[in-house]
Amino acid sequence: MNKQEYISSIQMSMLLLFFMTGSSIVIVPAPLTNLGGNGAWISLIIAAVMGALLLAGILYLHRKSPELSLIGQSRALLGNTLTLILLLPLTCVMFWNIAGIVIEIGTFFKNTMLKETPTYAVNSLFFVTIALTALAGIEVMARMAAVLLALMFAFIVLIWLLVGSLYHPEYLLPVMPDGFGPILNAAYVVYGFPYSELVVFAVILPFVRRKDNTKLGKHMYAALIVNTSTLILSVISSIMVLGPLSGDLKYSLYQLARLIYFQELIERIESVIGFSLIVGFYFKASILLLILMKLLKELLKLDNERYLVFPVSFICLLLSVTTYTKEAELEELVNLSWPLINNITYVLPVLLILIVAVIRSQFGKNKKQGM
């Protein structure tokens, strides 16, 4: 982290794909189907369109100032004081966000595989691993992403294929038995998590090599399309196998893995698949911790962020074992509060910076034309 690090546009898009798919592939299908019913896949398309608009916004800011991160752009446009006012809440919520991901890891283990293991033990081990990964830097993480992404997607596709004999396409109908309202409600929830969170990538876009900036947009949109397609196929698979129960059973993809049975040769492999899916949680938390380190470094004007990694990880660990220890509270947060929190702390500051950048750009053009 001492020297300036750079990665390719493809590697940045892989980090985005991991960030968007990592935890959502396990968490999203069940509550989304519970809210949107058989039309949950329509909700995903609506949320993905909103995510694409946010991605367009951060890519526009990056094209205007490719050498500056979100903090540098905000300081150049709004000044240091307004930047602190806008981005301090975002920084605080990122602590909470990282802790929330690890809370979900602990809950997943508690409900599925390690039922007797204390939550604090699982959370502590994960935070040590996450901190060491973030400490390695963005170049190392980008190389890791290629291997881990292939592993995670291989197991996801394997689940889809091995439960193929259990598919009942008739379960997909009717698509909208209760009208369009539940679909919009589900779209709002899935927009809040994970699509609104992608704006934090505005902090690390300057780490893309200059020569790759022309291809960055194409690769980032491709990652978003792959993410959306994966979630849609997971939701459709869950509905076709579990039917009306798909919205009531948590961790739909894991539940599908439990049903895999092939000629007495392949069965009871859900633990192996469960651990592979956990890779997504771990790597998303690592990416978010890395972004938080970069954010704190620029806000506090530090020379090196390495010294902050373990203290910040310890704070997040304490948050993970002291807040939302009840599953009902966590579900209520994700479904009701989190989209609103993300819009206020993540999306709103970026939109304000974007609006000012567009106004200044237009003003500069008009001034040149007038001369």
Side-chain angles (χ1 to χ4, degrees):
M1 284 190 184
N2 288 324
K3 63 182 181 66
Q4 182 63 41
E5 299 173 296
Y6 290 103
I7 60 176
S8 69
S9 59
I10 292 178
Q11 288 176 317
M12 183 62 75
S13 65
M14 285 194 296
L15 290 177
L16 178 67
L17 179 57
F18 228 135
F19 182 83
M20 299 294 294
T21 311
S23 57
S24 60
I25 192 66
V26 179
I27 299 171
V28 162
L32 187 65
T33 309
N34 187 39
L35 292 171
N38 289 358
W41 58 273
I42 303 175
S43 304
L44 272 167
I45 294 173
I46 296 171
V49 170
M50 297 297 293
L53 293 175
L54 293 176
L55 181 58
I58 64 173
L59 288 172
Y60 173 84
L61 289 173
H62 179 64
R63 284 195 301 272
K64 288 294 180 183
S65 306
E67 74 285 352
L68 296 178
S69 71
L70 181 66
I71 302 92
Q73 292 163 347
S74 180
R75 282 191 174 129
L77 293 168
L78 304 174
N80 191 53
T81 304
L82 282 177
T83 296
L84 285 173
I85 293 171
L86 277 178
L87 298 183
L88 198 56
L90 183 149
T91 306
C92 294
V93 170
M94 284 186 71
F95 279 89
W96 194 15
N97 199 345
I98 296 168
I101 295 170
V102 178
I103 289 173
E104 287 286 1
I105 294 173
T107 305
F108 178 77
F109 273 123
K110 198 74 175 175
N111 289 338
T112 55
M113 293 176 284
L114 304 178
K115 297 184 179 181
E116 302 300 322
T117 305
T119 302
Y120 67 83
V122 175
N123 292 8
S124 299
L125 287 173
F126 264 96
F127 267 115
V128 170
T129 311
I130 289 164
L132 291 173
T133 305
L135 199 61
I138 194 168
E139 287 184 355
V140 174
M141 289 180 65
R143 291 194 291 269
M144 289 174 62
V147 178
L148 296 178
L149 202 61
L151 175 69
M152 187 178 74
F153 272 89
F155 277 105
I156 291 170
V157 173
L158 185 66
I159 293 172
W160 294 341
L161 294 176
L162 291 179
V163 297
S165 60
L166 302 176
Y167 286 154
H168 297 277
E170 64 272 16
Y171 288 167
L172 295 172
L173 298 174
V175 176
M176 291 187 289
D178 300 315
F180 208 67
I183 290 175
L184 290 177
N185 184 21
Y188 171 71
V189 171
V190 77
Y191 157 74
F193 168 76
Y195 289 100
S196 65
E197 297 176 356
L198 65 81
V199 297
V200 299
F201 266 70
V203 177
I204 58 173
L205 286 182
F207 292 94
V208 175
R209 296 188 189 101
R210 295 288 177 83
K211 64 179 182 180
D212 285 353
N213 276 332
T214 54
K215 299 176 285 185
L216 179 62
K218 179 176 66 175
H219 292 152
M220 296 288 272
Y221 283 117
L224 193 63
I225 291 170
V226 172
N227 161 259
T228 306
S229 302
T230 304
L231 290 178
I232 288 174
L233 288 172
S234 296
V235 166
I236 291 175
S237 298
S238 299
I239 294 173
M240 285 199 296
V241 174
L242 301 174
L245 293 176
S246 58
D248 297 323
L249 295 174
K250 293 188 68 175
Y251 315 120
S252 301
L253 211 59
Y254 181 80
Q255 300 298 340
L256 295 186
R258 296 181 66 183
L259 299 174
I260 291 173
Y261 177 83
F262 184 73
Q263 297 291 328
E264 297 184 359
L265 296 173
I266 303 175
E267 60 178 324
R268 306 300 298 174
I269 61 171
E270 64 270 13
S271 294
V272 177
I273 289 176
F275 276 106
S276 68
L277 294 177
I278 285 298
V279 168
F281 284 90
Y282 142 71
F283 210 72
K284 176 173 180 176
S286 301
I287 294 169
L288 203 55
L289 180 59
L290 177 76
I291 294 172
L292 180 56
M293 292 299 99
K294 304 295 184 184
L295 191 64
L296 287 171
K297 176 187 175 182
E298 291 201 51
L299 283 178
L300 300 175
K301 298 181 179 179
L302 301 175
D303 294 327
N304 194 330
E305 71 268 31
R306 294 174 66 90
Y307 307 112
L308 292 174
V309 173
F310 286 106
V312 168
S313 299
F314 184 68
I315 293 171
C316 293
L317 170 62
L318 294 179
L319 288 172
S320 73
V321 295
T322 55
T323 58
Y324 298 101
T325 54
K326 296 181 181 177
E327 288 186 46
E329 293 178 348
L330 186 60
E331 288 180 13
E332 184 179 353
L333 168 70
V334 173
N335 293 337
L336 298 177
S337 306
W338 196 244
L340 180 61
I341 292 170
N342 276 356
N343 276 321
I344 293 173
T345 59
Y346 282 3
V347 177
L348 184 59
V350 175
L351 287 181
L352 290 175
I353 295 168
L354 178 62
I355 289 169
V356 174
V358 171
I359 291 172
R360 287 205 176 183
S361 177
Q362 292 299 320
F363 180 76
K365 286 181 182 178
N366 293 336
K367 192 173 180 181
K368 286 181 181 178
Q369 289 173 0
M371 293 174 64

